[in-house]
Amino acid sequence: MEILAITQHSLKQGEVYNLKGKLIRHEGKLTLQSAEPSESHTTTIKGIKSVYDFDPNFYQVSVAGRLVSLRSMGKAIFGHLQDATGRIQIYIKKDIVGDDKFQAFDTLFDVGDIIGVEGKLFRTSTGELTVEVNDFKMLAKSLRPLPEKWHGLRDVELRYRQRYLDLISNEKARKITLLRSRLLSEIRRFLDERGFLEVETPILQPIASGANAKPFITYHNYLEQNLYLRIAPELYLKRLIVGGFNRVYELGKNFRNEGVDTTHNPEFTMLEFYCAYWDYRDLIKFTEELFSHLLTKLLGTFQISYQGVTLDFTPPYRVVKYFDLLKEKTGKEKDFFLRDIDGLRKLAVEIGVPKAETLTHAKLLDKVFDLLVEDELTGPVFVIDFPKILSPLAKTHREDADLVERFELFVAGKEIANAYTELNDPIEQRNRFLEQLKEKEMGDEEAMQMDEDFITALEHGMPPTAGEGVGIDRLVMLLADVDSIREVILFPALRQR
RNA sequence: GAGCCGGUAGCUCAGUCCGGUAGAGCAACGGACUUUUAAUCCGUGGGUCGCGGGUUCAAAUCCCGCCCGGCUCACCA
């Protein structure tokens, strides 16, 4: 009888082992060896339940999972097995499994153990689907107790540091994990079906560019040079457009060496996709289609509730111009914000922009917009036609040389997506980078870096292209209705203990 | 980086204001119980009160410093 797996070591008769405070004496009656999981244990609990609903004649099952509850009645034992998909009750009767096995289960099996059972499905008097067990197997012994069965694991720090316990004991953590996984696969499916090619570009980059952020620096011993963890894949994805792949996307991590809070983690997941021969207006429509697809597949509705506010994602979304928003708030025209730097600085000081005296023009404008407008963009709303000084990689607006063809999608005051018609003029791109270098000299640490190789690529000709980035973590937060990014990242950044 | 809040048994939490033998529930351990489901009933064990210092006859409790976490702000478009 192969019941208990303690370790790979064989136990001598009479030897005493301490399991979770329980002293186990090996009497020689049990063969204590690690049991192999059988293939039939790979079905999910949810799968078993749905097959039974479909075909009640299906009743002989074999299922494995973590034992999460136990109720011993003397000569019968009830318990629940759990996997990521659900729970199923098991019923072990002395009459059925025999005295020895019943005794073994009663003394050796604990809540937390991973076990396999075989038996018949039936419904109890209360109607709960249950496995009447005729054989069982220890698959992995748990030496430590599970968190409290009723309250689960509440300690936020422990939930993050030992996420596996959170996943075992908190339904919501499992739901978010599944939601995130389905979101990623639906994004891939949507893009794949529309001819986009999934690619992988370098995470270790000699120049960290493509966004305004401080990078993590590392050193390559063999190349004898510094490398940066990417802050964005943008400039590499555009090289692929130059190379002739007209629809590409990358779904992966970016890294930014900055503060950690409820909406920022040093590594976070971005979707970036590029399509040749499109412009930013095509992307507005495409973004609405993408979100419609995701909401239909994941939530089955266009109305979502986020932190007590109902958001309506029925397209078309509101579209509003960047400077119209500022005018609404201040009564001032675009020229004021772009030409009257002293006036803008005065305004910034008035509304309480910190360090307004020392910020560069671009930073000032950005801060003022943030403070006055951003929080009120409940959305979903496309803010379009950004100032050029904030957008070094976007193409100049066809109707206004002060602006670029760019939008950001705001939902619940958060930026969810950022897109533009891409700047594909190598000469103008060089000048824009040079402007960024000036910003850097004026104290903007996050100003973008010049990438000569990228300009060389543009010099070979990049077709007119539109590109977009979507913050996946924030999107999951929205869909899961949680207010901290750490709830949607399985292992968020924490200080080492 | 600043402010506020928190850290007590494996887990969920009381106890801190107002100093006087460290508590409950779950889990564990022993026992009863063949349809229970937060099972129930009887019994037992379990603590570096985050860490270090100070005040005091006496500190989980008061004071100081530090560590870890949460929230808000700053930073980060």
Side-chain angles (χ1 to χ4, degrees):
Chain A
M1 193 161 44
E2 189 182 82
I3 290 180
L4 180 63
I6 296 179
T7 66
Q8 297 297 330
H9 312 292
S10 58
L11 293 185
K12 295 190 183 83
Q13 196 163 337
E15 203 163 348
V16 171
Y17 264 65
N18 188 340
L19 291 181
K20 254 185 322 204
K22 191 190 288 186
L23 292 181
I24 304 288
R25 182 179 297 279
H26 177 41
E27 307 286 359
K29 274 191 272 180
L30 305 173
T31 308
L32 300 171
Q33 57 182 274
S34 56
E36 297 297 324
S38 64
E39 208 169 318
S40 53
H41 286 142
T42 56
T43 41
T44 64
I45 286 169
K46 192 179 172 189
I48 284 173
K49 286 184 165 178
S50 55
V51 171
Y52 185 82
D53 286 342
F54 182 71
D55 175 14
N57 293 319
F58 164 84
Y59 64 95
Q60 188 69 39
V61 294
S62 169
V63 58
R66 191 176 294 273
L67 195 53
V68 290
S69 70
L70 264 187
R71 296 172 293 281
S72 169
M73 313 287 301
K75 297 194 176 69
I77 299 170
F78 286 90
H80 278 97
L81 283 193
Q82 175 180 290
D83 67 14
T85 68
R87 279 182 184 201
I88 193 164
Q89 184 166 253
I90 60 171
Y91 177 44
I92 298 166
K93 229 169 141 181
K94 197 168 189 176
D95 298 351
I96 294 176
V97 297
D99 289 2
D100 283 357
K101 291 202 92 170
F102 189 85
Q103 163 79 14
F105 190 97
D106 203 24
T107 56
L108 300 177
F109 283 47
D110 294 299
V111 170
D113 295 347
I114 293 170
I115 72 171
V117 302
E118 285 176 17
K120 293 175 191 165
L121 289 174
F122 75 106
R123 288 197 185 276
T124 63
S125 49
T126 57
E128 180 167 1
L129 192 63
T130 301
V131 183
E132 184 186 83
V133 175
N134 52 45
D135 199 9
F136 55 80
K137 202 182 257 186
M138 176 71 74
L139 299 176
K141 183 74 193 166
S142 167
L143 301 181
R144 295 179 187 259
L146 289 181
E148 219 262 356
K149 65 180 172 186
W150 188 241
H151 299 93
L153 189 64
R154 289 274 178 80
D155 186 310
V156 182
E157 191 175 350
L158 282 183
R159 288 184 43 236
Y160 298 157
R161 288 193 195 276
Q162 293 177 272
R163 182 68 89 180
Y164 48 92
L165 293 178
D166 191 30
L167 292 170
I168 291 167
S169 52
N170 296 327
E171 165 92 31
K172 181 144 198 195
R174 290 194 292 276
K175 274 198 165 157
I176 293 173
T177 306
L178 291 171
L179 177 71
R180 182 174 181 128
S181 169
R182 281 163 49 218
L183 177 76
L184 294 178
S185 76
E186 286 302 334
I187 286 172
R188 287 196 164 94
R189 187 215 296 248
F190 182 87
L191 292 170
D192 291 346
E193 282 172 354
R194 283 156 185 78
F196 284 81
L197 191 72
E198 181 169 10
V199 296
E200 295 171 278
T201 65
I203 287 171
L204 291 173
Q205 303 180 347
I207 294 168
S209 195
N212 306 89
K214 287 176 228 165
F216 288 94
I217 307 173
T218 186
Y219 181 76
H220 193 294
N221 292 337
Y222 181 80
L223 298 178
E224 296 181 321
Q225 68 174 56
N226 281 337
L227 290 172
Y228 303 88
L229 273 63
R230 71 170 173 208
I231 56 177
E234 176 154 353
L235 304 188
Y236 284 92
L237 290 169
K238 286 182 185 170
R239 286 169 167 92
L240 298 178
I241 299 285
V242 172
F245 287 102
N246 286 340
R247 295 186 179 199
V248 293
Y249 72 96
E250 181 160 12
L251 194 44
K253 292 268 179 87
N254 289 344
F255 308 84
R256 297 187 183 175
N257 204 343
E258 286 156 4
V260 176
D261 63 27
T262 41
T263 50
H264 297 84
N265 194 64
E267 55 180 294
F268 61 100
T269 303
M270 282 279 290
L271 165 69
E272 281 202 18
F273 58 92
Y274 292 81
C275 186
Y277 311 116
W278 282 8
D279 66 18
Y280 78 136
R281 291 177 303 196
D282 297 310
L283 283 181
I284 286 185
K285 205 163 158 272
F286 191 71
T287 302
E288 286 170 346
E289 285 167 12
L290 171 65
F291 276 64
S292 294
H293 174 84
L294 296 175
L295 287 169
T296 303
K297 292 288 183 183
L298 301 177
L299 301 184
T301 172
F302 285 171
Q303 326 290 323
I304 75 169
S305 167
Y306 184 72
Q307 306 290 297
V309 179
T310 301
L311 304 167
D312 185 0
F313 280 80
T314 308
Y317 307 160
R318 191 159 81 98
V319 177
V320 55
K321 290 180 177 168
Y322 184 92
F323 281 109
D324 286 352
L325 284 169
L326 279 177
K327 191 180 174 188
E328 244 175 65
K329 283 284 160 195
T330 65
K332 295 189 191 311
E333 302 287 340
K334 183 188 76 176
D335 274 356
F336 166 77
F337 295 100
L338 293 183
R339 320 260 185 257
D340 184 359
I341 302 182
D342 293 334
L344 178 61
R345 196 178 302 280
K346 221 179 119 192
L347 172 67
V349 172
E350 276 168 25
I351 63 173
V353 172
K355 296 180 206 146
E357 297 79 6
T358 60
L359 294 178
T360 63
H361 183 196
K363 277 274 185 188
L364 267 180
L365 179 53
D366 198 34
K367 288 289 163 201
V368 167
F369 183 86
D370 255 24
L371 214 62
L372 289 181
V373 180
E374 212 168 271
D375 285 349
E376 293 176 24
L377 297 173
T378 310
V381 53
F382 291 108
V383 178
I384 66 167
D385 298 348
F386 276 62
K388 190 187 280 185
I389 53 172
L390 289 180
S391 318
L393 302 171
K395 192 169 204 163
T396 302
H397 198 285
R398 63 198 78 182
E399 287 163 5
D400 186 339
D402 288 334
L403 306 180
V404 289
E405 298 193 353
R406 171 180 176 187
F407 71 75
E408 287 192 355
L409 173 62
F410 283 91
V411 183
K414 294 186 178 80
E415 176 198 338
I416 297 293
N418 178 23
Y420 29 88
T421 310
E422 302 296 341
L423 175 57
N424 63 339
D425 176 339
I427 296 163
E428 188 177 352
Q429 181 66 77
R430 179 186 300 280
N431 289 333
R432 299 272 196 96
F433 275 137
L434 290 172
E435 287 297 318
Q436 287 293 303
L437 291 183
K438 275 190 213 157
E439 290 276 313
K440 195 157 228 152
E441 281 164 22
M442 286 161 69
D444 180 0
E445 280 187 277
E446 278 96 30
M448 213 173 278
Q449 286 220 57
M450 171 78 83
D451 185 339
E452 289 284 354
D453 287 333
F454 170 64
I455 291 172
T456 303
L458 289 187
E459 285 169 353
H460 286 87
M462 184 174 86
T465 296
E468 176 164 342
V470 180
I472 297 301
D473 308 284
R474 290 179 186 182
L475 187 52
V476 180
M477 286 169 67
L478 208 60
L479 300 182
D481 192 11
V482 295
D483 58 3
S484 170
I485 199 170
R486 300 184 195 94
E487 296 297 331
V488 302
I489 293 176
L490 282 170
F491 301 99
L494 293 177
R495 206 179 296 272
Q496 197 170 24
R497 280 253 237 197

